[in-house]
Amino acid sequence: MKKADIGLIGLAVMGENLVLNMESKGYTVAVYNRTVSKVDSFVKGRGEGKNFIGTHSLEELVSSLERPRKVMMLVKAGQAVDALIDQLIPLLEPGDIIIDGGNSHYPDTIRRTKYVTSHGLLYVGSGVSGGEEGALLGPSLMPGGSKEAWPYIKDIFQSIAAKVDDGTPCCDWVGDDGAGHFVKMVHNGIEYGDMQIISEAYDMMKRVLHLSHDEMSETFAHWNKGDLDSYLIEITAEILAFRDENNDPLVEKILDAAGQKGTGKWTAVSALDAGIPLTLIGESVFARCLSAQKDLRVSASKIYDAPKVDFKGDKQQFVDDLEAALLGSKIISYAQGYDLMRESAKENNWDLNYGDIALMWRGGCIIRSTFLGKIKEAYDKNPTLEHLMLDDFFRDKLEAAAKGWRNVVATAVANGIAVPALSSALSYFDGFRTADSPANMLQAQRDYFGAHTYERKDGKRGEFHHTNWTGRGGDTASTTYNV
Ligand code: 2AM
């Protein structure tokens, strides 16, 4: 019997769709699932008449595979992955490849790569983005781990991945050990940010401009033809136009308490650990947390006065300003995300290709957009670009957006409307382009109360001074640390 090109464990919806995608590209796939009845129902159901080999044990799965064997897991992140790895190791031979396509946290993938490779096998942790539909029709794939595995899985991965207009697949090797899952995590964080800024713009359109849902939908649809062209803007236009059975906009009936699965939080935590100002994504995570405190907010809304919304400006101009605010904030968010990737790559010894990462996100995934093409161009132009905001194209865009963006934030503040992401992004922009920050005061305070020392503007970097500010503190300096 013909052996399978790859094996898959985990026939939940992502797994099923991914193997259907592989099969449609000419690969034979062996499938296995813990609850084995699912194997038969899949092979006789959606897999009917197709090149699948249904297997009822891990032994059977492994023995049905072409060498080097490639076994991909798409199971619940966490314990299940470790358990499966332990079951697979004795069944596999040196050079065989275990792939984790689930939503694993990257430190786990770093640990598992070490563990699996210590047994002579190869390990790949791959981010898979694009949801169920992406899995079936073309996801964005972000594989990392044992680089020696890449030549063996490259054709399968790139053939099932989404393609951009010129046919380039949204999948390339990301880097060692946990790099693939790390980049997927940052992608999810950026997704949180994009969704939050869009929600804030919608809030302003509704509460400041009193636009109808059709007008809002048309505005987003129009923006989708410009710099903001992206999947999330497109679905926002559709959501705003969607009516329920009573012909009311459904979105207004949805409870404003956001859920989260934790990848945005992981991104923010990584940024805190790495000492990188990832403010927009951080605010987006916290905005979801505040939204979830619905009961508290309802109580507070009864005891605090809200400023009366009063807008006297030009509506169309303000819509244009909102577009500018979204674009400016989006640039900040991606610049911060790339800053985090750069720092984490340094810490983990990953050789990340930032242009390729933009290309992997260009199609297939939730944050797909034409904007990412511009990021790719920036890194193609200068592969060692230190920060996206130092690129000419993005500088010009930020400069052009600033006026409208400031007006949006000022209007929101004056009218008592929370815009945490749009406003913190603007603060970051202003902080970033300011050579002299007020941190001299912080340093003075730290030295005053804790003898933490400071460097001088007229001195050499690395030369620390302590002042006996009160005449009582003595001259002994304490140690300091820099994040
Ligand atoms: P199941 O159908 O037997 O529950 C998503 O939950 C997928 O992960 C499902 O295919 C599920 O299998 C699988 N899964 C969850 N925990 C697992 C485990 N400990 N071992 C193997 N597969 C697991």
Side-chain angles (χ1 to χ4, degrees), residues 10-12 33-35 38 74-76 80 84:
L11 285 173
N33 193 69
R34 177 180 60 175
T35 309
K38 282 199 196 162
L74 259 177
V75 300
K76 204 163 171 274
L84 277 170

Side-chain angles (χ1 to χ4, degrees), residues 106 182 267-277 339-340 343-344 347 483:
Y106 75 93
F182 172 78
T267 317
V269 169
S270 295
L272 288 169
D273 284 339
I276 294 297
D339 198 19
L340 173 63
E343 183 59 30
S344 299
E347 282 175 21
V483 283

Side-chain angles (χ1 to χ4, degrees), residues 446-454 465-478:
R446 294 179 67 239
D447 191 55
Y448 185 109
F449 66 67
H452 292 300
T453 75
Y454 55 87
H465 305 266
H466 169 58
T467 296
N468 181 353
W469 294 85
T470 59
R472 301 184 301 274
D475 297 319
T476 313
S478 143

Side-chain angles (χ1 to χ4, degrees), residues 230-351:
S230 61
Y231 172 72
L232 283 168
I233 294 282
E234 179 190 328
I235 67 166
T236 302
E238 287 177 16
I239 288 167
L240 286 164
F242 194 93
R243 304 279 168 157
D244 68 3
E245 58 283 4
N246 300 317
N247 204 29
D248 297 327
L250 175 62
V251 68
E252 300 309 327
K253 298 194 178 165
I254 294 178
L255 186 77
D256 52 316
Q260 43 184 323
K261 279 196 173 165
T263 40
K265 181 188 86 177
W266 289 347
T267 317
V269 169
S270 295
L272 288 169
D273 284 339
I276 294 297
L278 190 86
T279 56
L280 192 143
I281 293 173
E283 287 292 351
S284 304
V285 175
F286 286 133
R288 288 197 191 194
C289 299
L290 181 59
S291 83
Q293 296 181 316
K294 172 79 175 174
D295 295 342
L296 268 178
R297 290 188 289 110
V298 171
S299 303
S301 70
K302 292 177 182 147
I303 61 166
Y304 286 102
D305 275 340
K308 196 171 154 4
V309 172
D310 179 28
F311 179 78
K312 294 207 180 63
D314 180 88
K315 272 195 179 185
Q316 184 52 50
Q317 180 58 52
F318 197 73
V319 166
D320 293 345
D321 290 351
L322 280 171
E323 185 180 14
L326 276 187
L327 183 64
S329 301
K330 190 172 165 112
I331 294 172
I332 298 298
S333 182
Y334 284 66
Q336 293 180 339
Y338 270 79
D339 198 19
L340 173 63
M341 289 198 283
R342 178 165 289 278
E343 183 59 30
S344 299
K346 232 189 283 167
E347 282 175 21
N348 291 288
N349 290 316
W350 294 326
D351 182 20

